[in-house]
Amino acid sequence: MMTLKSLSGGPGAARNVVSYCQHELGDSRRGDGYYSKGATPSMWGGTLAAELGLAGPVDGKVLQGLLEGRLPDGRTFGTDGVEKDGHRRMGVDMTFSAPKSVSEFALCKASPEMRERILAAHDRAVAKAMALAEREFVCARYGSGGAESVKTGAMLWSAFRHEDARPVNGKVAPQIHSHAVTLNMTKGRDGEIRALNLQFGNDGIKLAGATYRAELGAELRALGFGLRKTGEGYELEGVSDAQIEAGSPRRQQIDSDLESKGLSRENSTGAQRTASNLATRESKRQMSQDEQRWEWRELGREIGLDLPDPTPPQEPLPKPDAAEALAFATAHLSERESVISTQSTRLQALLHGMHQGLTLDQIDKEIEAGRGVGNLIDAGDQKIVTRETLAREAANLQTVSAGRVTQAPLTDEAGALARISAREAVNGFTFSAGQRQAVVDALTTPDQFWGIRGAAGAGKSTALAALADEAKSKGFRVIGTGPSQTAVDGTADAAPDDMRVLRS
């Protein structure tokens, strides 16, 4: 997964960011810092890194200067991001975390050689996800108030790999993750350094996180691991959910905080999960890497983690079925919308197939192959529609057209207004003008089909109750339907005689 955190602050904030990323929690001269035997594994990335001559491990002083608005050659930039009190928008921390079973196996059970292979695969997956972010989501703003947003495809980031989660009751769980500190800078169309604007959109953050997990998964399969499908992608075969939970006290802690607020991991927003994360975290503990890894070995024994190092497959692995994953994604999304987001399609296909080693590059190739001559039609504005959807929509329109002026209206206008008054008396409030018009039109139409469209909270369910009342009074059986149980539950206020989920 991937989480996003804005980095800003006044004097001293940049040093704090660097100190945290470099895991400077203890005194390395005494040997009690996590990386007391060496520097935190790190790397520079992004097209601007090459332009600035930055490569290999990250120099903390250089990073601090960049966070404070100084280029390696001493020039300053980003003065428009400094407020009067000295606070600066320094950048964004994109944190990529490995699936829990991967962290547990790599740090609690794997041989040193296999552990290093997994960590190297994690680093490459982070770089791949950051390349996606740079290519698709990095923009610069122009014009009054930044009204125009233009993709630049240029950014600078520095990633630091950590292995430990926040402690819970003094115990630290294994958690392989990297903080990709993305500087608040890009290169605009004029060649000048401008403030970074990340345009992720609704699914962009999820897509970046899924890209990381998919790339890691493909490498894990090449090492010989089996992957089992989960809602967030996959976990390692041979590591049970119970073992994952036993080794994840931090996750349990966050889930408990969400539950206390009437939320869960599934029905909460990213901001709500971040708030629970911040509200429950303890300060990181000072322990050397060697000491911590010995403690994790004991954890592996306690939870019964006995998965051996895998053997790389002798035969080529079966090729992931990108066509099947794409077909699943388009069918799933088309249940609710005729024209679907390309971004959402890529995300759903990737989540569906990454346990088979499917990557975003393979999905993108399949989408490109399906455009025009295949099943997909480009609808503009980064949206697509399937030929099956168009055929279904055409059939629906034909059915609706054939049903025009074929029915006796349920009542006349006076009867509709009387029914509205009766429902208002039951509800204890007056219908809005839009609700009244919708009910009158639906009750007096001679057409077999009639649609009512309104924004969330506009009172559609209230209007439906008046329609249902009139229909029942005429001897009709009222059935609430929808493409999902949630949608069907939304018809409950109309007190239908039956409720059913539509199946394709």
Side-chain angles (χ1 to χ4, degrees), residues 23-30 32-34 286:
H23 227 304
E24 295 173 351
L25 300 174
D27 187 339
S28 60
R29 292 170 298 181
R30 297 202 314 265
D32 61 357
Y34 188 82
Q286 297 177 0

Side-chain angles (χ1 to χ4, degrees), residues 202-245:
N202 292 333
D203 288 323
I205 295 175
K206 294 178 182 177
L207 184 63
T211 297
Y212 157 74
R213 292 197 302 276
E215 293 292 333
L216 177 60
E219 293 217 33
L220 290 171
R221 278 171 52 83
L223 288 172
F225 288 98
L227 308 180
R228 57 183 176 89
K229 185 176 174 62
T230 68
E232 294 183 344
Y234 61 84
E235 294 288 353
L236 294 184
E237 288 182 351
V239 182
S240 69
D241 290 340
Q243 289 170 324
I244 290 172
E245 284 299 313

Side-chain angles (χ1 to χ4, degrees), residues 296-315:
W296 287 334
R297 288 281 169 175
E298 181 59 33
L299 172 64
R301 288 188 285 271
E302 289 176 3
I303 65 177
L305 195 62
D306 56 3
L307 183 68
D309 279 5
T311 302
Q314 299 300 308
E315 301 292 332

Side-chain angles (χ1 to χ4, degrees), residues 74 163 194 213 237 239 269 275 287 327 368 387 419 489:
E163 299 176 357
R194 304 183 68 90
R213 292 197 302 276
E237 288 182 351
V239 182
T269 65
M287 181 179 276
E368 195 57 37
R387 294 187 186 276
R419 179 60 65 186
D489 291 344

Side-chain angles (χ1 to χ4, degrees), residues 7-21:
L7 299 175
S8 62
R15 178 59 212 157
N16 291 337
V17 170
V18 174
S19 178
Y20 181 85
C21 288

Side-chain angles (χ1 to χ4, degrees), residues 420-479:
I420 290 171
S421 296
R423 175 46 62 173
E424 288 176 334
V426 171
N427 292 342
F429 57 81
T430 303
F431 276 25
S432 68
Q435 288 174 307
R436 295 175 69 85
Q437 190 62 54
V439 173
V440 169
D441 288 346
L443 291 179
T444 60
T445 180
D447 296 341
Q448 184 179 11
F449 302 96
W450 190 260
I452 299 174
R453 183 176 180 180
K460 298 185 294 298
S461 296
T462 303
L464 281 176
L467 296 175
D469 289 346
E470 185 66 29
K472 289 179 181 179
S473 73
K474 297 295 195 295
F476 287 95
R477 179 173 169 78
V478 177
I479 301 175

